[in-house]
Amino acid sequence: RDIMSELPPITIVMTTFFPDQRRKVAARMTLKSWRRRLQYGGHLYLNVADDGSDPFIFNDFLDRAYRIWGESVYKSQQQRRGVGASLNLGFRTAFENSPLVLYAVDDWALTQPFDLTPWAQLLMEREDVGMVRLGPPHPGTSGVVEMFTENWQGWGLRLDRKGFAFGHRPALYHKRMIDRYGWFIEDVNALECERYY
């Protein structure tokens, strides 16, 4: 059986807020790095989830995103309701196409090739895994490193049920994570949104 042909699409939810041109320039470089280095055995979509940027700056960024990513780009936009609202709207829109969402911030540029395929396979095969964090754990996180062998060969961290375990870092989500733990709190700053989750 060809698992690659069975992989659902992944929508990249890129949260943005452009109060000035500098942030837009960094985000554009990030988009280019994803196009060159992000690999996946299925289809990738890009959802620019904006939190009320200056309309001129945002529309210019969106035009460039279409040039870099083509027809696989769409947007979700709300007005200064915080990253939680951007994530909720972006995820809801993405879940209409697929159970998989890659949350990636606008300054998470890739310097080396990165393949999402094994992580998507893990999320599709293991119903006990809701999210794969792509990068180091949050400071102070503790748990037990385990080898997972049932249906998947790899290592993971089974988190202790204490302390700060969640952060707005790049991660690949399955819809079951949101179904189980709920949506992000809205109308608060990013740190409060993380703390609450």
Side-chain angles (χ1 to χ4, degrees), residues 86-142:
S86 292
L87 288 171
N88 290 341
L89 185 57
F91 278 39
R92 280 187 181 101
T93 305
F95 288 148
E96 292 174 9
N97 296 322
S98 171
L100 298 181
V101 170
L102 170 64
Y103 170 51
V105 293
D106 62 0
D107 61 356
W108 188 62
L110 293 173
T111 59
Q112 298 293 318
F114 189 85
D115 190 1
L116 294 170
T117 306
W119 308 114
Q121 288 173 313
L122 169 72
L123 287 171
M124 295 309 294
E125 293 172 5
R126 299 263 326 224
E127 292 186 11
D128 60 331
V129 179
M131 179 186 83
V132 176
R133 183 160 174 164
L134 305 173
H138 209 78
T141 299
S142 62

Coordinates of all heavy atoms in Angstrom, one line a residue, residues 86-142:
S86 N -6.5 34.5 15.8 CA -5.9 34.2 14.5 C -5.8 32.7 14.4 O -6.1 32.1 13.3 CB -4.6 34.8 14.4 OG -4.7 36.2 14.3
L87 N -5.3 32.0 15.4 CA -5.2 30.5 15.3 C -6.6 29.9 15.2 O -6.7 29.0 14.4 CB -4.5 30.0 16.6 CG -3.0 30.3 16.7 CD1 -2.5 29.9 18.1 CD2 -2.2 29.6 15.6
N88 N -7.5 30.3 16.0 CA -8.9 29.7 15.9 C -9.5 29.8 14.5 O -9.9 28.8 13.9 CB -9.8 30.3 16.9 CG -9.4 29.9 18.3 OD1 -8.7 28.9 18.6 ND2 -9.9 30.6 19.3
L89 N -9.4 31.0 13.9 CA -10.0 31.2 12.6 C -9.2 30.4 11.6 O -9.8 29.8 10.7 CB -10.1 32.7 12.3 CG -10.7 33.1 11.0 CD1 -12.2 32.6 10.9 CD2 -10.7 34.6 10.8
G90 N -7.9 30.5 11.7 CA -7.0 29.8 10.7 C -7.2 28.3 10.8 O -7.3 27.6 9.8
F91 N -7.3 27.7 12.0 CA -7.5 26.3 12.2 C -8.9 25.8 11.7 O -9.0 24.8 11.0 CB -7.3 25.9 13.6 CG -5.9 25.7 14.1 CD1 -4.8 26.5 13.6 CD2 -5.5 24.7 14.9 CE1 -3.5 26.3 14.0 CE2 -4.2 24.4 15.4 CZ -3.2 25.3 14.9
R92 N -9.9 26.6 12.0 CA -11.2 26.3 11.6 C -11.3 26.2 10.1 O -11.9 25.3 9.5 CB -12.3 27.3 12.1 CG -12.7 27.1 13.5 CD -13.8 28.0 13.9 NE -14.2 27.8 15.3 CZ -13.8 28.5 16.3 NH1 -13.0 29.6 16.1 NH2 -14.2 28.2 17.6
T93 N -10.7 27.2 9.4 CA -10.7 27.2 8.0 C -9.9 26.0 7.4 O -10.3 25.4 6.5 CB -10.1 28.5 7.5 OG1 -10.8 29.6 8.1 CG2 -10.1 28.7 6.0
A94 N -8.8 25.7 8.0 CA -7.9 24.6 7.5 C -8.6 23.3 7.7 O -8.5 22.4 6.8 CB -6.6 24.7 8.3
F95 N -9.3 23.1 8.8 CA -9.9 21.8 9.1 C -11.1 21.5 8.1 O -11.5 20.4 8.1 CB -10.5 21.8 10.5 CG -9.4 21.6 11.6 CD1 -9.5 22.2 12.8 CD2 -8.2 20.9 11.3 CE1 -8.6 22.1 13.8 CE2 -7.2 20.8 12.3 CZ -7.4 21.4 13.5
E96 N -11.5 22.5 7.3 CA -12.5 22.2 6.3 C -11.9 21.3 5.2 O -12.6 20.7 4.5 CB -13.0 23.5 5.7 CG -13.9 24.3 6.7 CD -14.3 25.7 6.1 OE1 -14.1 25.9 4.9 OE2 -14.8 26.5 6.9
N97 N -10.6 21.4 5.0 CA -9.9 20.6 4.0 C -9.2 19.4 4.5 O -9.0 18.4 3.7 CB -8.8 21.5 3.3 CG -9.4 22.7 2.6 OD1 -10.5 22.5 2.0 ND2 -8.8 23.8 2.6
S98 N -8.8 19.3 5.7 CA -7.9 18.3 6.2 C -7.9 18.3 7.7 O -8.1 19.3 8.4 CB -6.5 18.5 5.7 OG -5.6 17.6 6.3
P99 N -7.6 17.1 8.3 CA -7.4 17.1 9.8 C -6.0 17.6 10.3 O -5.8 17.7 11.4 CB -7.6 15.6 10.2 CG -7.1 14.9 9.0 CD -7.5 15.8 7.8
L100 N -5.1 17.9 9.3 CA -3.8 18.3 9.7 C -3.5 19.8 9.4 O -3.8 20.3 8.3 CB -2.7 17.5 8.9 CG -2.8 15.9 9.1 CD1 -1.7 15.3 8.3 CD2 -2.6 15.6 10.6
V101 N -2.9 20.4 10.4 CA -2.5 21.8 10.4 C -1.1 22.0 10.9 O -0.8 21.5 12.0 CB -3.5 22.7 11.2 CG1 -2.9 24.1 11.3 CG2 -4.8 22.7 10.6
L102 N -0.3 22.7 10.1 CA 1.1 23.1 10.6 C 1.0 24.5 11.1 O 0.6 25.4 10.3 CB 2.1 22.9 9.5 CG 3.5 23.6 9.8 CD1 4.1 22.9 11.0 CD2 4.4 23.5 8.6
Y103 N 1.1 24.7 12.4 CA 1.2 26.1 12.8 C 2.6 26.6 12.7 O 3.5 26.0 13.3 CB 0.7 26.2 14.3 CG 1.0 27.6 14.9 CD1 0.6 28.8 14.2 CD2 1.7 27.8 16.1 CE1 0.9 30.0 14.7 CE2 1.9 29.0 16.6 CZ 1.6 30.1 15.9 OH 1.8 31.4 16.4
A104 N 2.9 27.6 12.0 CA 4.2 28.1 11.8 C 4.2 29.7 11.9 O 3.3 30.3 11.2 CB 4.8 27.7 10.5
V105 N 5.0 30.2 12.7 CA 5.0 31.7 12.8 C 5.7 32.3 11.7 O 6.5 31.7 11.0 CB 5.6 32.1 14.2 CG1 4.6 31.6 15.3 CG2 6.9 31.5 14.4
D106 N 5.5 33.6 11.5 CA 6.0 34.3 10.3 C 7.5 34.6 10.4 O 8.1 35.1 9.4 CB 5.3 35.6 10.1 CG 5.4 36.6 11.2 OD1 6.1 36.3 12.2 OD2 4.8 37.7 11.1
D107 N 8.2 34.2 11.4 CA 9.7 34.4 11.4 C 10.4 33.0 11.6 O 11.5 33.0 12.0 CB 10.1 35.4 12.5 CG 9.7 35.0 13.9 OD1 9.0 33.9 14.1 OD2 10.1 35.7 14.9
W108 N 9.7 31.9 11.4 CA 10.2 30.6 11.5 C 10.8 30.1 10.1 O 10.3 29.3 9.5 CB 9.2 29.6 12.0 CG 9.7 28.2 12.3 CD1 10.6 27.9 13.3 CD2 9.3 27.0 11.7 NE1 10.8 26.5 13.3 CE2 10.0 25.9 12.4 CE3 8.4 26.7 10.7 CZ2 9.8 24.6 12.0 CZ3 8.3 25.3 10.4 CH2 9.0 24.3 11.0
A109 N 11.9 30.8 9.7 CA 12.5 30.4 8.5 C 13.3 29.1 8.6 O 13.9 28.9 9.6 CB 13.4 31.6 8.0
L110 N 13.3 28.4 7.5 CA 14.0 27.1 7.5 C 15.4 27.3 6.9 O 15.5 28.0 5.8 CB 13.3 26.1 6.7 CG 12.0 25.6 7.3 CD1 11.2 24.7 6.4 CD2 12.2 24.9 8.6
T111 N 16.4 26.8 7.5 CA 17.8 26.9 6.9 C 18.2 25.6 6.3 O 19.2 25.6 5.6 CB 18.8 27.3 8.0 OG1 18.8 26.3 9.1 CG2 18.4 28.7 8.6
Q112 N 17.5 24.5 6.6 CA 17.8 23.2 6.0 C 16.5 22.6 5.6 O 15.4 22.9 6.0 CB 18.4 22.3 7.1 CG 19.7 22.8 7.6 CD 20.8 22.8 6.6 OE1 21.0 21.8 5.8 NE2 21.6 23.8 6.5
P113 N 16.5 21.5 4.7 CA 15.3 20.8 4.3 C 14.6 20.2 5.5 O 15.3 19.7 6.4 CB 15.8 19.8 3.3 CG 17.1 20.3 2.8 CD 17.7 21.1 3.9
F114 N 13.3 20.3 5.5 CA 12.5 19.7 6.6 C 11.4 18.9 6.0 O 10.5 19.5 5.3 CB 12.0 20.8 7.6 CG 11.4 20.2 8.8 CD1 12.2 19.9 9.9 CD2 10.1 20.0 8.9 CE1 11.7 19.4 11.1 CE2 9.5 19.5 10.1 CZ 10.3 19.2 11.1
D115 N 11.3 17.6 6.3 CA 10.2 16.8 5.8 C 9.1 16.5 6.8 O 9.4 16.0 7.9 CB 10.8 15.4 5.3 CG 9.8 14.6 4.5 OD1 8.7 15.0 4.3 OD2 10.2 13.5 4.2
L116 N 7.9 17.0 6.5 CA 6.8 16.8 7.4 C 6.2 15.4 7.3 O 5.3 15.0 8.1 CB 5.7 17.8 7.0 CG 6.0 19.2 7.3 CD1 4.9 20.1 6.7 CD2 6.1 19.5 8.8
T117 N 6.5 14.6 6.2 CA 5.9 13.4 5.9 C 5.9 12.4 7.1 O 4.8 11.9 7.4 CB 6.5 12.7 4.7 OG1 6.5 13.7 3.6 CG2 5.8 11.5 4.3
P118 N 7.0 12.1 7.8 CA 6.9 11.1 8.8 C 6.0 11.6 10.0 O 5.4 10.7 10.7 CB 8.4 10.9 9.3 CG 9.1 12.0 8.7 CD 8.4 12.5 7.5
W119 N 6.0 12.8 10.2 CA 5.2 13.4 11.3 C 3.7 13.3 11.0 O 2.9 13.1 11.9 CB 5.7 14.8 11.7 CG 7.1 14.8 11.9 CD1 8.1 15.4 11.2 CD2 7.8 14.0 12.9 NE1 9.3 15.1 11.7 CE2 9.2 14.3 12.7 CE3 7.4 13.2 14.0 CZ2 10.2 13.7 13.6 CZ3 8.4 12.6 14.8 CH2 9.8 12.9 14.6
A120 N 3.4 13.6 9.7 CA 2.0 13.4 9.3 C 1.5 12.0 9.4 O 0.4 11.7 9.8 CB 1.8 14.0 7.9
Q121 N 2.4 11.1 9.0 CA 2.1 9.6 9.1 C 1.9 9.3 10.5 O 0.9 8.5 10.8 CB 3.3 8.8 8.5 CG 3.4 8.9 7.0 CD 4.7 8.2 6.5 OE1 5.7 8.3 7.1 NE2 4.5 7.3 5.5
L122 N 2.7 9.7 11.4 CA 2.5 9.5 12.8 C 1.1 9.9 13.3 O 0.4 9.2 14.0 CB 3.6 10.2 13.7 CG 3.4 10.2 15.2 CD1 3.6 8.8 15.8 CD2 4.3 11.2 15.8
L123 N 0.7 11.1 13.0 CA -0.5 11.7 13.4 C -1.7 10.9 12.8 O -2.8 10.8 13.4 CB -0.6 13.2 13.1 CG 0.2 14.1 14.0 CD1 0.2 15.5 13.4 CD2 -0.2 14.0 15.4
M124 N -1.6 10.4 11.6 CA -2.6 9.7 10.9 C -2.7 8.3 11.5 O -3.8 7.7 11.5 CB -2.5 9.7 9.4 CG -2.6 11.1 8.8 SD -4.0 12.0 9.3 CE -5.3 11.0 8.5
E125 N -1.6 7.7 11.9 CA -1.6 6.3 12.4 C -1.9 6.1 13.9 O -2.4 5.1 14.3 CB -0.3 5.7 12.0 CG -0.1 5.5 10.5 CD 1.3 5.0 10.2 OE1 2.1 4.7 11.1 OE2 1.6 5.0 9.0
R126 N -1.5 7.1 14.7 CA -1.6 7.0 16.1 C -2.7 7.9 16.7 O -2.5 9.1 16.7 CB -0.2 7.4 16.8 CG 0.9 6.6 16.4 CD 1.3 5.5 17.3 NE 1.0 5.7 18.7 CZ 1.9 5.4 19.6 NH1 3.0 4.8 19.3 NH2 1.6 5.6 20.9
E127 N -3.7 7.4 17.1 CA -4.8 8.2 17.7 C -4.6 8.7 19.0 O -5.3 9.6 19.5 CB -6.1 7.3 17.7 CG -6.6 7.0 16.3 CD -8.0 6.3 16.3 OE1 -8.6 6.3 17.3 OE2 -8.3 5.9 15.2
D128 N -3.5 8.3 19.7 CA -3.1 8.8 21.0 C -2.2 10.0 20.9 O -1.7 10.5 21.9 CB -2.5 7.7 21.9 CG -1.2 7.1 21.3 OD1 -1.1 7.1 20.1 OD2 -0.4 6.7 22.1
V129 N -1.8 10.5 19.7 CA -1.0 11.6 19.5 C -1.8 12.7 18.8 O -2.4 12.5 17.8 CB 0.3 11.3 18.7 CG1 1.2 12.5 18.5 CG2 1.1 10.1 19.3
G130 N -1.8 13.9 19.4 CA -2.6 15.0 18.9 C -1.8 16.1 18.2 O -2.3 16.8 17.4
M131 N -0.5 16.2 18.6 CA 0.3 17.3 18.1 C 1.8 16.8 18.2 O 2.2 16.1 19.1 CB 0.1 18.5 19.0 CG 1.0 19.7 18.6 SD 0.9 21.1 19.7 CE 2.0 20.6 21.0
V132 N 2.5 17.2 17.2 CA 4.0 17.0 17.2 C 4.7 18.4 17.2 O 4.5 19.1 16.2 CB 4.4 16.2 15.9 CG1 6.0 16.1 15.9 CG2 3.8 14.8 15.9
R133 N 5.4 18.6 18.2 CA 6.1 19.9 18.3 C 7.4 19.8 17.5 O 8.1 18.8 17.6 CB 6.5 20.2 19.8 CG 7.1 21.6 19.9 CD 7.0 22.0 21.3 NE 7.8 23.2 21.4 CZ 7.7 24.0 22.5 NH1 6.8 23.8 23.4 NH2 8.4 25.1 22.6
L134 N 7.6 20.8 16.7 CA 8.7 20.8 15.7 C 9.8 21.7 16.3 O 9.9 22.9 16.0 CB 8.3 21.2 14.3 CG 7.1 20.4 13.8 CD1 6.6 21.0 12.5 CD2 7.5 18.9 13.6
G135 N 10.7 21.2 17.1 CA 11.7 22.0 17.7 C 11.8 21.6 19.2 O 11.2 20.6 19.7
P136 N 12.7 22.3 19.9 CA 12.9 21.9 21.3 C 11.7 22.1 22.2 O 10.9 23.0 21.9 CB 14.1 22.9 21.7 CG 13.9 24.0 20.8 CD 13.4 23.5 19.5
P137 N 11.7 21.4 23.3 CA 10.6 21.6 24.3 C 10.7 23.0 24.9 O 11.8 23.6 24.9 CB 10.7 20.5 25.2 CG 12.1 20.0 25.1 CD 12.6 20.4 23.7
H138 N 9.6 23.4 25.5 CA 9.6 24.7 26.3 C 10.5 24.5 27.5 O 10.5 23.5 28.1 CB 8.2 25.0 26.7 CG 7.9 26.4 26.8 ND1 7.7 27.2 25.7 CD2 7.8 27.2 27.9 CE1 7.4 28.4 26.1 NE2 7.5 28.5 27.4
P139 N 11.2 25.6 27.9 CA 12.0 25.5 29.1 C 11.2 25.0 30.3 O 10.1 25.5 30.5 CB 12.5 26.9 29.3 CG 12.5 27.5 27.9 CD 11.3 26.9 27.2
G140 N 11.8 24.2 31.1 CA 11.1 23.7 32.3 C 10.2 22.5 32.1 O 9.7 21.9 33.0
T141 N 10.0 22.1 30.8 CA 9.2 20.9 30.5 C 9.9 19.7 31.0 O 11.1 19.5 30.8 CB 8.9 20.9 29.0 OG1 8.2 22.0 28.6 CG2 8.0 19.7 28.7
S142 N 9.1 18.8 31.6 CA 9.7 17.5 32.0 C 8.8 16.4 31.6 O 7.6 16.5 31.4 CB 10.0 17.5 33.5 OG 8.8 17.6 34.2

